[in-house]
Amino acid sequence: FFFFQAEDGIRDAQESRGLGDVYKRQRVPNSKAHKACGDFLASELGRFGAKVYQQEAILTAYDGTKLESRNIIGSFNPDNSKRILLFAHWDSRPYSDHDPNPANYHKPLDGADDGASGVGALLEIARQIGMKAPNVGVDIIFFDAEDYGIPEFAREKYSNTSDTWCLGSRFWGKNPHTPNYRAEFGILLDMVAVSYTHLTLPTKRIV
């Protein structure tokens, strides 16, 4: 229901990653750049005509660190009961624990693909919806504190559990932005800026 402008999606990904003095650093929770980027995303959704909700919460990381997190939700046509949910995470990982060089393990990732690419695509979708709204309600959610899970180098010290990942979406699942929220379906956009030509797609249509 929209025409995607690739150059605008790339621009939005770059801006959410961090162009300029305010956005140039990684989006690790509790950092100044993280807060500034969150403000930018909320402002953009509002500029495109969405009703903006901001869920602020203190979430606890695997090591006890208290994360100042914020889920940012833009609702288009909020009174329509038939809804579609689109989402991505906007935070970036504080570790490079899969880097070939162990010296980089404690360095944060830029998150250009893992985070910013999905956000950039959704910002462009939001812009298109703002120009020509579909006949359904659309909710765009930027989840926070998704990539603060236990790093590989700390698995022996802390329990190996997946519960340390996706903290923002877990919080939203228990506390949706509107009571009794329900969508027809949801689509996650994550790491959409790289080629996946090595993957084999199914030949049969799955309904």
Side-chain angles (χ1 to χ4, degrees), residues 44-55:
E44 287 294 276
L45 288 174
R47 184 167 70 92
F48 296 143
K51 181 178 181 179
V52 178
Y53 303 84
Q54 299 191 62
Q55 285 188 326

Side-chain angles (χ1 to χ4, degrees), residues 30-45:
N30 297 348
S31 67
K32 291 182 179 179
H34 175 265
K35 182 183 183 304
C37 187
D39 293 343
F40 166 77
L41 295 177
S43 175
E44 287 294 276
L45 288 174

Side-chain angles (χ1 to χ4, degrees), residues 81-111:
S81 60
K82 186 176 182 180
R83 311 205 61 75
I84 294 171
L85 176 60
L86 307 174
F87 49 100
H89 75 91
W90 68 277
D91 61 307
S92 59
R93 185 148 174 76
Y95 312 110
S96 301
D97 46 324
H98 289 280
D99 193 284
N101 184 358
N104 294 326
Y105 284 175
H106 292 272
K107 296 179 181 179
L109 291 174
D110 285 339

Side-chain angles (χ1 to χ4, degrees), residues 151-172:
E152 293 295 324
F153 56 78
R155 287 188 179 277
E156 292 185 3
K157 182 176 180 180
Y158 299 97
S159 59
N160 183 6
T161 171
S162 61
D163 290 347
T164 62
W165 296 82
C166 304
L167 300 181
S169 56
R170 290 172 186 270
F171 178 83
W172 177 85

